[in-house]
Amino acid sequence: MPAAVSVVAGLFEEGPGGLRLLATRCTSCDTLYFPRRPTCRNPACETKAVEDAQLPRDGTIHSFTIQRYQPPAMFRIDDWKPYAIGVVDLGAGVQVMGILEGVAFDELAIGMPVRVTGRTLYRDPEGLDVRTFAFVPGGSEAA
Amino acid sequence: MSRPVFLLGAGAHPWGKWPDAPQVQLALHALRAALGDAGLGWRDVQGLVAASSRFEGGMGWGLHANEIVQLVAEQGIACVNVGGACAAGAIAFSTAHAMIASGQYDVVAAVGAERMPKGFIPRPPGSQDDIGDEDYLRWVTMGATNPAYWAIEARRRMHDHGTRPETFARAAVLMRSNAAGNPYARFRQPSTVAEVLASPLVADPLHLLEICPVSDGAAAVILVSHEIARRCGGRPVEVAGCAIASGAFGDPARRIPTISATVRPGVTHTSEVAGAVERAMSIAGIGPADVDVLEMADNTAWHLLAWPELFGMHAPGESDHLLETGKLAIGAGRLAINPSGGFLSFGEATTAQALMQVCEIAWQIRGEATGRQVPDARVGMTAVLGLGANGGSVILKR
Ligand SMILES: [Zn+2]
């Protein structure tokens, strides 16, 4: 397997156990934030001290769309073709947007169980696989 | 303590693509029209509030009001430049309103003018390329375009309320039908449900003709104190209420450009706009049922169904039936929505759009909206949303 690099640092980690989305938890009101944030924006929260946390791996599709037009060049992907983007409810009051894959467009459905995974966007000139997070059908094995 | 404020003049430059007219020229056109409508001249203006564009003019620092007075009226007046992205026009209005309501000024103009860049809106200079910048994140991690955010809301509405693709298309058709009578609108050719559904799918379920494009345009208003309104005659319209608001913690809306939402039960969707509307209604002492005409930001056909429900004018899910039975057409029901033709028929000229909405409401309340007049419109409201969770609403009444 070629060496890999995350498309942006600090958003997720990939290891033997799979991909984890890196979050922040407020130690006083328990609110989870993704991506990581330096403080808590809950107006009822006084202390706003935060610690590192990880998001749940499993969720359900809250809603989705198929992007039929190629996004601007800032989105780099090899072999572009129309793809699905969804909002996934991970529980714990957090909903995360991401690419949905591993399922035919006409089988996508609101409420479908999905789990987070990693996927390669493109191979850069140094031969590194540039990776992002995505969601695929099914619960995780670790769950 | 505050005092009543009146809109004495409204003016605009028609929307379109105007490659030969610099932005400041569009602004001056709108201001000249608004001053003419008010029966006032530049010598009467004591303050100018400009909605700052990040695309053109303003000496590169968003100083659009200063640029304008240095061109036409170097007379020492207060220049205020406000940001707020697509809601900047509403923030400019609210600021001008406060300047008069406070008693400090008697005549203040608010203006927004924009020439939009071609294609996708480029990122501003100085953006960070890291996890602190959600706009960067949405592009590099998933390529989420603005229509994708709106499409995700539209798909959810289909799930929650059984909205059909034909109903979204019908909303787009209604906007074209309204725009046919409006010389300020850019797209005035009538359309059909079949044509809308045959236009390319951009992001399911939204088609190209159900999503607003971008345009160039400008709009301006002249706000005055009661004393000036009485002395000048003209056709003053009372500002019954105006408010700006930002988002609430736990709002479930897919807020561009974020890639996640912290959702808390019971928090209003698009709370920045719903909050501004609620506050404006409270100031005006009215409820949703009192509004005769609404000019709202229809970035897509979905907004036309969802927002009147958000503001309490329709029950949740009720918009579909009202639209399909023709009740949202001008003169057909209790509420007319976007008699101007809306963003779908104008194309969005970001910072100018909210002031165009106010101009349209002023013309409607005065009974001057020839070709698209809502019969006996007495109370009109605007509602707009901008990047950064900015919402604004203005209520005018006869
Ligand atoms: Zn907290």
Side-chain angles (χ1 to χ4, degrees):
Chain A
M1 188 173 157
V5 61
S6 171
V7 68
V8 53
L11 196 63
F12 58 84
E13 272 173 7
E14 288 191 273
L19 184 145
R20 297 307 299 246
L21 296 173
L22 302 179
T24 296
R25 176 186 293 104
C26 176
T27 56
S28 31
C29 74
D30 258 358
T31 303
L32 279 170
Y33 296 102
F34 172 78
R36 284 187 169 158
R37 286 292 173 253
T39 181
C40 170
R41 62 175 178 266
N42 179 355
C45 180
E46 294 288 340
T47 319
K48 300 184 185 297
V50 295
E51 63 186 11
D52 288 351
Q54 295 183 334
L55 289 187
R57 283 199 174 95
D58 298 337
T60 55
I61 296 179
H62 173 81
S63 188
F64 63 93
T65 186
I66 317 296
Q67 284 213 140
R68 305 276 171 178
Y69 281 66
Q70 186 160 7
M74 261 188 88
F75 179 57
R76 279 189 65 187
I77 188 167
D78 288 339
D79 306 319
W80 181 86
K81 55 183 185 299
Y83 63 102
I85 291 182
V87 168
V88 173
D89 190 342
L90 292 173
V94 182
Q95 296 185 354
V96 173
M97 248 170 109
I99 294 173
L100 297 172
E101 59 187 6
V103 54
F105 292 162
D106 60 3
E107 284 171 16
L108 279 167
I110 288 172
M112 175 183 276
V114 290
R115 66 183 162 84
V116 71
T117 186
R119 67 106 76 201
T120 296
L121 286 167
Y122 58 94
R123 180 161 297 175
D124 77 3
E126 284 82 57
L128 291 174
D129 279 346
V130 179
R131 310 266 294 166
T132 191
F133 67 94
F135 294 94
V136 294
S140 72
E141 321 236 322
Chain B
M1 197 49 219
S2 77
R3 56 181 187 157
V5 177
F6 293 81
L7 186 155
L8 190 61
H13 186 289
W15 261 231
K17 291 309 279 183
W18 312 115
D20 301 326
Q23 180 210 57
V24 70
Q25 188 179 321
L26 303 180
L28 289 173
H29 178 110
L31 280 163
R32 206 175 301 123
L35 282 168
D37 187 39
L40 297 174
W42 271 108
R43 78 189 72 82
D44 304 305
V45 176
Q46 300 164 338
L48 175 62
V49 185
S52 295
S53 165
R54 78 168 171 90
F55 300 117
E56 184 178 345
M59 307 172 186
W61 291 81
L63 302 174
H64 294 77
N66 306 75
E67 185 179 25
I68 288 165
V69 301
Q70 287 180 14
L71 280 171
V72 293
E74 204 166 20
Q75 55 192 9
I77 66 172
C79 286
V80 182
N81 302 281
V82 300
C86 301
I91 297 172
F93 184 98
S94 195
T95 305
H97 179 275
M99 289 167 76
I100 292 172
S102 72
Q104 277 200 67
Y105 301 87
D106 287 300
V107 180
V108 177
V111 64
E114 198 79 271
R115 289 203 311 176
M116 296 297 290
K118 286 201 185 79
F120 285 102
I121 295 173
R123 299 182 74 226
S127 305
Q128 315 157 261
D129 290 349
D130 63 28
I131 62 163
D133 184 340
E134 300 224 47
D135 194 36
Y136 176 73
L137 285 182
R138 62 124 161 199
W139 289 122
V140 300
T141 62
M142 67 191 81
T145 61
N146 289 3
Y149 285 82
W150 300 320
I152 283 169
E153 298 279 17
R155 169 72 60 185
R156 184 70 202 189
R157 183 179 177 89
M158 293 171 76
H159 176 84
D160 290 341
H161 297 302
T163 300
R164 300 174 309 128
E166 293 74 18
T167 310
F168 289 128
R170 200 176 285 277
V173 169
L174 174 66
M175 290 302 98
R176 283 295 184 87
S177 160
N178 290 354
N182 188 355
Y184 294 99
R186 176 177 171 196
F187 303 103
R188 300 175 60 193
Q189 313 82 345
S191 63
T192 65
V193 168
E195 274 169 23
V196 173
L197 292 177
S199 69
L201 257 181
V202 174
D204 309 37
L206 297 176
H207 299 79
L208 190 63
L209 291 178
E210 293 163 336
I211 300 169
C212 82
V214 295
S215 291
D216 308 336
V221 297
I222 311 297
L223 300 185
V224 301
S225 62
H226 185 245
E227 189 197 331
I228 299 285
R230 201 183 46 204
R231 195 199 307 161
C232 291
R235 307 204 57 196
V237 179
E238 188 183 350
V239 181
C242 72
I244 53 177
S246 55
F249 178 71
D251 186 331
R254 303 306 128 202
R255 189 180 286 163
I256 299 169
T258 66
I259 61 164
S260 73
T262 296
V263 178
R264 289 292 167 96
V267 180
T268 307
H269 197 285
T270 321
S271 53
E272 56 274 55
V273 182
V277 163
E278 197 180 321
R279 206 174 299 167
M281 284 197 296
S282 156
I283 292 166
I286 64 164
D290 299 315
V291 178
D292 301 314
V293 50
L294 171 67
E295 280 286 327
M296 52 154 277
D298 53 324
N299 288 94
T300 71
W302 167 78
H303 294 77
L304 290 162
L305 299 173
W307 278 24
E309 297 173 2
L310 197 60
F311 306 153
M313 290 151 184
H314 303 159
E318 189 191 15
S319 292
D320 299 42
H321 177 72
L322 290 169
L323 177 65
E324 282 164 6
T325 53
K327 297 288 198 323
L328 301 185
I330 294 169
R334 67 183 152 85
L335 175 69
I337 298 176
N338 290 358
S340 70
F343 290 22
L344 288 178
S345 306
F346 273 70
E348 197 179 2
T350 51
T351 52
Q353 212 69 37
L355 284 163
M356 184 71 228
Q357 294 179 321
V358 177
C359 289
E360 177 66 18
I361 291 296
W363 295 322
Q364 289 286 344
I365 296 303
R366 287 175 177 170
E368 294 173 353
T370 309
R372 59 191 189 282
Q373 179 66 46
V374 176
D376 198 35
R378 307 185 72 83
V379 177
M381 173 194 279
T382 72
V384 75
L385 168 68
L387 182 72
N390 279 304
S393 177
V394 175
I395 299 172
L396 304 181
K397 78 175 182 201
R398 210 192 298 172

